[in-house]
Amino acid sequence: MKFMKLGSRPDTFITTEAVRSVNSEVVSDLIVQVKGSRYLLHKFPLLSKCSRLQRLCSESPETSQHQIVQLPDFPGGIEAFELCAKFCYGITITLSAYNIVGARCAAEYLQMTEDVEKGNLIYKLEVFFNSCILSGWKDSIVTLQSTKSFPLWSEDLVITSRCIEAIASKVLAHPSKVNLSRSYSRRGPRDDISCIESDSRRHNKDSSKIWWAEDLAELSIDLYWRSMIAIKSGGKVPATVIGDALRIYASRWLPNISKYANLEKQIVHNQSESDSIGKHRQLLESIISLLPAEKGAVSCSFLLKLLKATNILKGSCSSKMELARRVGLQLEDASVNDLLIPCVSHTCDTIYDVDIVITILQQFMLQVQSPPTSPLRRKGDFERRRSRSAENIDLEFQESRRSSSASHSSKLKVAKLVDGYLQEIASDTNLPLSKFISIAEAIPGFARLDHDDLYKAINIYLKGHPGLNKSERKRLCRILDCKKLSMDVCMHAAQNELLPLRVVVQVLFFEQARSAMSGGHVTELPSNIKALLANHDDTAKTSASFSKAKMTPVNDQWSNASGLKSPKSNISTLKMKLAEDDDLDEHNADEIGKSSRIKALCVLPNRPKKMFSKLWSNNRSSVASEKN
């Protein structure tokens, strides 16, 4: 920190009965009132350097021994006035980055220019400011911070803009060329909004490039915004470094999200809390406006945390949509916890904001649309010498293939993410069926290599919404592909009384067909499923037609959580479900026909046995022929 001393005389200012005066043998003849404080001073030293005091004294008549001058709007208060007064008396004063702005504004107010006296205070302050303050990193930061106390004066005297330009020039310069006192490592990590996360490795890697971020994080949002705009306009700082700097600033100033979520309903009746929310909302909007446009400049986790803060602070719709668009660009990097954005609106009944997640998924699907594939080249094209344009086409084709492959990989990751998210929100009793289905169907079918996680989400939703009617349960289960269920999940689904009977039969059929095609190793069915293939008199005969392999036990995670009946549930329960399934809408004739065929499975016990036996015998013979 640099400083400058002016004057050589000792300090002779004293305080007597709330009045400041100079200890001198000469009687004072001037009273100056500055914001409620009185100063008994002398005209000669002050008027010889202050043009404004000369004019004020000439305008006010001398009615007594002391001439009174009032300075009600003096910038900087009594501290700045005493600096100027002591300078006039030749008393030693010390100037630094902490008080130079106040002294400069006070000197300008008193008009201590070169026209009044050579080597006046304004001239000395400007020399010190330009040669020392602006050349130092920490001095520039502290000086810029102090301009908040004198915003209009600082703008008029071009102090603020000069500090910002000096800071930006040092950030854009190579660190080795800047002689700074860095304070980046002096503070520990903060996680006010959990912004410090897995990016720490990249942060450590780029610490030499982001040495300035912690110091700038001390600035108020308006000064920080202007400084970052100046840094970004230089075009030399990478987007990832800008993103890390914004993350550090957000963790420094944004409040704890959970605190605001819990107090949201109380804030409406608390004016001070409302004012605080307004300030933080402005801060958040400014951070969002500074986000680099490049994909990956900031982590997806940080973007979603900003989105949570926007929800809680009731940010603008445009900010929410901008964040949703950015999250959609890199959604494959998100986690389930990141997507659990609390819904704090009075008009929203759900625990989490599922609407914004639907918007994010829509943005993701728009961004990962596979580019059109170039037509295949003929064999002869490889034999001919290719022109430069043909080589360019090749490069575009390869880039297209890589982009398509990346999009496919992203969809696979996002499909797993969506299924995990559905499991988290499925137990919410206020979650509408339409929104659950919309989220599930936002991802194309090929992106789900298996439907185990989707089945778990559906099962949780069915248990959390026991009031669903039969048509709603069928509508929900249409998103499930029984062919993509694993063995354990199939066995659980076959015994799940919450599922529509049609789904149970589909699960049974696909599992038995898959077992038969794999070599005839068919597992024994539980008793309630056997009733679908034969009546209770022929159960033993039907079960004998299957393989002697033991039934795979149901996974503990299902048996403990499902609350379903054991494999030996009564046949009457299945007949009741068959009766329910038979009660279909009259408008859907095709559905009625299917229900009749399902019911016939119990009425005609020998028919399904022959059908499955024929299917398995054909599969075995085809397998044997392939082996031969």
Side-chain angles (χ1 to χ4, degrees):
M1 185 69 65
K2 298 178 181 178
F3 62 92
M4 176 179 69
K5 286 190 176 183
L6 298 175
S8 57
R9 294 179 56 189
D11 189 355
T12 55
F13 270 65
I14 59 175
T15 302
T16 305
E17 297 180 357
V19 176
R20 294 283 285 171
S21 61
V22 179
N23 188 9
S24 173
E25 296 178 356
V26 180
V27 179
S28 61
D29 55 357
L30 178 65
I31 297 177
V32 180
Q33 294 183 345
V34 180
K35 294 187 176 181
S37 298
R38 291 169 62 89
Y39 286 86
L40 295 179
L41 303 173
H42 305 83
K43 289 183 180 179
F44 176 73
L46 269 69
L47 270 59
S48 63
K49 291 181 172 62
C50 303
S51 177
R52 189 184 188 94
L53 291 180
Q54 292 179 11
R55 180 173 54 82
L56 291 175
C57 287
S58 63
E59 293 174 355
S60 60
E62 296 186 23
T63 57
S64 62
Q65 180 182 0
H66 296 91
Q67 191 168 7
I68 301 175
V69 174
Q70 296 186 357
L71 306 175
D73 56 345
F74 192 87
I78 59 176
E79 295 84 2
F81 176 78
E82 282 199 20
L83 283 174
C84 295
K86 288 178 180 179
F87 173 80
C88 294
Y89 279 97
I91 296 174
T92 302
I93 60 175
T94 302
L95 297 166
S96 67
Y98 290 99
N99 61 5
I100 189 173
V101 176
R104 178 67 180 85
C105 296
E108 187 70 23
Y109 180 90
L110 295 173
Q111 299 176 0
M112 304 174 72
T113 63
E114 293 295 286
D115 295 336
V116 181
E117 184 179 83
K118 293 297 181 180
N120 213 341
L121 184 58
I122 290 179
Y123 171 77
K124 293 183 181 296
L125 290 176
E126 283 292 326
V127 171
F128 176 63
F129 180 73
N130 292 322
S131 61
C132 298
I133 296 296
L134 295 182
S135 64
W137 168 257
K138 189 63 177 177
D139 299 276
S140 300
I141 295 289
V142 172
T143 304
L144 183 59
Q145 285 178 305
S146 63
T147 60
K148 281 294 290 183
S149 302
F150 321 97
L152 298 179
W153 282 93
S154 299
E155 291 294 341
D156 292 341
L157 298 175
V158 203
I159 297 175
T160 305
S161 58
R162 283 188 287 174
C163 287
I164 291 174
E165 291 174 3
I167 291 170
S169 65
K170 291 174 177 59
V171 172
L172 296 173
H174 193 278
S176 62
K177 298 180 180 179
V178 184
N179 186 13
L180 315 165
S181 89
R182 302 179 190 172
S183 56
Y184 172 72
S185 60
R186 74 180 186 272
R187 287 180 277 269
R190 301 172 61 96
D191 56 352
D192 293 339
I193 61 167
S194 300
C195 289
I196 309 299
E197 15 76 359
S198 58
D199 287 348
S200 58
R201 285 177 294 181
R202 184 180 73 177
H203 176 63
N204 293 333
K205 180 181 178 182
D206 294 339
S207 59
S208 62
K209 300 179 181 179
I210 201 171
W211 51 266
W212 46 271
E214 283 278 359
D215 286 328
L216 283 191
E218 298 299 323
L219 296 173
S220 59
I221 184 58
D222 53 343
L223 296 176
Y224 181 83
W225 189 88
R226 292 174 62 180
S227 301
M228 290 300 294
I229 290 295
I231 292 170
K232 292 177 66 177
S233 63
K236 295 181 180 180
V237 180
T240 54
V241 175
I242 296 292
D244 280 340
L246 293 174
R247 176 173 54 82
I248 291 172
Y249 189 82
S251 68
R252 169 68 177 82
W253 290 102
L254 280 181
N256 186 290
I257 284 184
S258 59
K259 166 190 170 183
Y260 278 85
N262 295 334
L263 297 178
E264 193 271 342
K265 293 183 180 180
Q266 303 176 18
I267 289 174
V268 178
H269 308 289
N270 191 323
Q271 185 61 38
S272 62
E273 290 287 352
S274 298
D275 294 341
S276 178
I277 285 289
K279 293 178 181 178
H280 286 115
R281 185 186 302 117
Q282 179 190 3
L283 184 148
L284 182 63
E285 299 276 352
S286 299
I287 292 176
I288 295 172
S289 69
L290 289 172
L291 290 173
E294 292 82 356
K295 177 181 177 181
V298 292
S299 69
C300 186
S301 178
F302 176 55
L303 290 173
L304 285 167
K305 286 176 174 59
L306 290 179
L307 191 53
K308 289 180 182 179
T310 305
N311 250 21
I312 293 172
L313 299 175
K314 298 180 180 179
S316 63
C317 293
S318 59
S319 295
K320 291 181 67 173
M321 290 304 299
E322 173 64 14
L323 288 172
R325 184 189 68 81
R326 290 175 177 270
V327 172
L329 288 173
Q330 48 197 93
L331 183 58
E332 65 271 17
D333 299 326
S335 66
V336 173
N337 287 335
D338 293 334
L339 289 177
L340 297 178
I341 302 172
C343 189
V344 296
S345 172
H346 293 284
T347 59
C348 182
D349 296 329
T350 57
I351 300 175
Y352 300 109
D353 191 343
V354 295
D355 292 327
I356 193 64
V357 174
I358 293 175
T359 302
I360 290 172
L361 289 171
Q362 291 172 348
Q363 293 294 325
F364 169 76
M365 291 307 299
L366 288 175
Q367 298 297 331
V368 298
Q369 294 295 333
S370 299
T373 305
S374 302
L376 294 176
R377 296 186 297 273
R378 297 185 301 271
K379 182 178 180 180
D381 292 342
F382 292 95
E383 299 174 357
R384 293 192 297 268
R385 182 176 180 179
R386 296 179 299 176
S387 64
R388 186 177 299 274
S389 61
E391 292 177 356
N392 292 337
I393 293 174
D394 261 0
L395 292 175
E396 293 175 2
F397 176 75
Q398 294 171 7
E399 184 65 27
S400 172
R401 293 289 299 272
R402 283 194 295 268
S403 176
S404 177
S405 176
S407 298
H408 182 74
S409 175
S410 298
K411 290 176 183 177
L412 295 180
K413 294 179 181 178
V414 172
K416 296 292 290 184
L417 175 68
V418 168
D419 291 347
Y421 176 75
L422 288 173
Q423 293 178 45
E424 292 292 332
I425 67 172
S427 57
D428 185 356
T429 55
N430 294 321
L431 178 64
L433 177 63
S434 59
K435 292 186 178 181
F436 183 92
I437 294 176
S438 296
I439 295 175
E441 291 181 339
I443 303 301
F446 71 85
R448 287 188 175 93
L449 300 181
D450 64 74
H451 278 218
D452 287 2
D453 290 335
L454 182 59
Y455 171 79
K456 294 176 185 178
I458 291 175
N459 186 54
I460 295 172
Y461 191 88
L462 289 172
K463 288 192 295 182
H465 300 76
L468 291 178
N469 58 39
K470 183 177 57 177
S471 61
E472 289 174 331
R473 285 188 285 122
K474 288 182 177 180
R475 180 186 170 196
L476 173 63
C477 292
R478 285 194 190 103
I479 63 179
L480 189 66
D481 188 349
C482 298
K483 296 189 295 294
K484 293 186 176 182
L485 297 179
S486 65
M487 172 80 71
D488 289 342
V489 176
C490 281
M491 295 306 297
H492 182 275
Q495 303 174 66
N496 193 344
E497 294 184 350
L498 299 175
L499 296 176
L501 183 58
R502 180 175 292 101
V503 177
V504 176
V505 173
Q506 287 178 352
V507 170
L508 170 68
F509 175 78
F510 288 121
E511 180 56 30
Q512 297 305 319
R514 181 167 55 190
S515 299
M517 295 181 67
S518 65
H521 299 291
V522 183
T523 59
E524 183 184 353
L525 297 175
S527 58
N528 59 346
I529 302 304
K530 292 176 185 177
L532 292 172
L533 303 177
N535 59 21
H536 62 281
D537 295 328
D538 294 329
T539 299
K541 296 180 182 179
T542 306
S543 61
S545 65
F546 294 98
S547 172
K548 295 181 179 181
K550 293 182 178 181
M551 181 187 72
T552 304
V554 180
N555 200 325
D556 289 340
Q557 66 172 326
W558 297 109
S559 59
N560 293 335
S562 63
L564 304 177
K565 293 183 179 180
S566 65
K568 297 182 179 180
S569 58
N570 295 330
I571 298 176
S572 59
T573 303
L574 289 173
K575 289 185 177 181
M576 185 183 301
K577 296 185 75 173
L578 286 172
E580 290 177 2
D581 192 75
D582 193 43
D583 186 22
L584 300 172
D585 287 339
E586 296 179 358
H587 302 287
N588 197 341
D590 182 60
E591 294 292 316
I592 295 176
K594 292 181 180 179
S595 174
S596 301
R597 290 194 293 274
I598 294 172
K599 187 175 180 181
L601 292 174
C602 285
V603 177
L604 301 175
N606 295 328
R607 185 179 175 187
K609 178 179 177 181
K610 295 178 181 179
M611 178 181 67
F612 283 113
S613 299
K614 183 177 180 181
L615 173 63
W616 294 326
S617 61
N618 291 339
N619 289 332
R620 289 195 185 97
S621 60
S622 63
V623 171
S625 62
E626 289 178 1
K627 291 181 179 180
N628 295 333

